[in-house]
Amino acid sequence: MKIYRENVTQFKYIKRDGFVMTYITSVCKPFSEDEREHLATNFFNGMIKNHPYLNELYRLILLKMKYFTIKDNKISQLRYSNQHGWHFTITYCDITGSLRPMVIIKKLKRDDCTYEIRINGDYDKSRLLFFYVSQEIMEEVLFILSYGYSKNSGKQDLTDVLAQSTKSIKADIESVSNTNEKITEWVGGNWK
């Protein structure tokens, strides 16, 4: 398997066993202009990139995502529980060094297509929203990161607003016959 890194939020994974390609990229423009500061790349650069623990956990999560497969319009590796809904858990050291299970990917319960990457620091709960483009439209697996934000008790919870915009971006991509052009419009440049 070869891994190509375009930038911190754009990866290309080529799986030799069956020639399935997995792409992880991010949008370059917001659905609504007032959401620009919350773009996944901007959030990564401002909140995660310079924090060693958060950056390491973020990269580990992306590496786990490269093995995700889509079957029956679902990410096959997610498991269901009453507490978390559809989620993916790993055992990892938290920021204090204690080994514990962590839910790192979760499907939003109130949305049929948006998932969140969950990165918890000391007092900060970082979230990055993403979706995948249906394999009925593409042969490859394509995950697109849309927005990032912090879930702190003192701040407004942006989950619903940014999830709705994420859903709108996905709908815009999947509404056209030439999906590749529409993806390029949203992510900018060559994503393959």
Side-chain angles (χ1 to χ4, degrees):
M1 172 180 27
K2 289 188 177 184
I3 301 173
Y4 300 92
R5 191 175 104 195
E6 300 293 322
N7 62 46
V8 294
T9 55
Q10 186 172 15
F11 291 82
K12 299 176 185 179
Y13 301 102
I14 301 173
K15 298 178 186 175
R16 296 278 180 220
D17 60 332
F19 304 102
V20 175
M21 298 185 74
T22 300
Y23 297 92
I24 303 173
T25 190
S26 60
V27 297
C28 67
K29 65 180 186 175
F31 186 75
S32 173
E33 195 54 42
D34 61 338
E35 298 167 344
R36 183 168 296 282
E37 70 180 285
H38 300 294
L39 288 174
T41 302
N42 294 344
F43 183 77
F44 172 84
N45 289 331
M47 293 295 292
I48 296 173
K49 181 179 179 181
N50 295 320
H51 190 293
Y53 174 80
L54 300 180
N55 192 4
E56 180 182 323
L57 183 54
Y58 171 77
R59 291 175 186 280
L60 175 68
I61 293 168
L62 292 183
L63 288 174
K64 295 286 184 186
M65 286 175 66
K66 78 178 180 178
Y67 295 105
F68 283 3
T69 55
I70 309 299
K71 185 175 181 182
D72 299 327
N73 213 22
K74 293 180 185 169
I75 299 174
S76 302
Q77 289 70 20
L78 300 187
R79 298 294 171 244
Y80 185 81
S81 74
N82 289 333
Q83 180 181 5
H84 298 292
W86 290 100
H87 67 282
F88 183 78
T89 304
I90 62 169
T91 301
Y92 194 75
C93 288
D94 65 15
I95 200 149
T96 67
S98 300
L99 194 62
R100 65 180 191 89
M102 293 181 177
V103 174
I104 58 169
I105 305 275
K106 184 177 175 185
K107 183 176 184 300
L108 297 182
K109 292 179 181 179
R110 58 193 160 275
D111 191 322
D112 60 345
C113 68
T114 305
Y115 299 80
E116 67 179 3
I117 293 174
R118 301 161 55 97
I119 303 172
N120 295 331
D122 301 351
Y123 304 102
D124 184 60
K125 295 179 179 180
S126 297
R127 301 293 185 256
L128 290 137
L129 300 181
F130 72 94
F131 63 93
Y132 63 86
V133 177
S134 173
Q135 283 188 293
E136 296 165 359
I137 295 172
M138 301 180 52
E139 293 177 12
E140 302 91 358
V141 176
L142 173 62
F143 295 107
I144 300 178
L145 303 173
S146 55
Y147 296 101
Y149 58 98
S150 293
K151 282 185 87 160
N152 295 331
S153 58
K155 290 186 176 180
Q156 175 190 4
D157 187 352
L158 299 171
T159 305
D160 290 338
V161 172
L162 297 178
Q164 182 56 48
S165 291
T166 298
K167 187 175 184 177
S168 297
I169 292 169
K170 178 181 172 72
D172 187 52
I173 288 172
E174 294 184 348
S175 69
V176 297
S177 59
N178 191 341
T179 307
N180 286 335
E181 277 184 25
K182 190 54 91 165
I183 292 169
T184 300
E185 177 186 322
W186 277 105
V187 303
N190 185 14
W191 58 274
K192 277 191 165 188

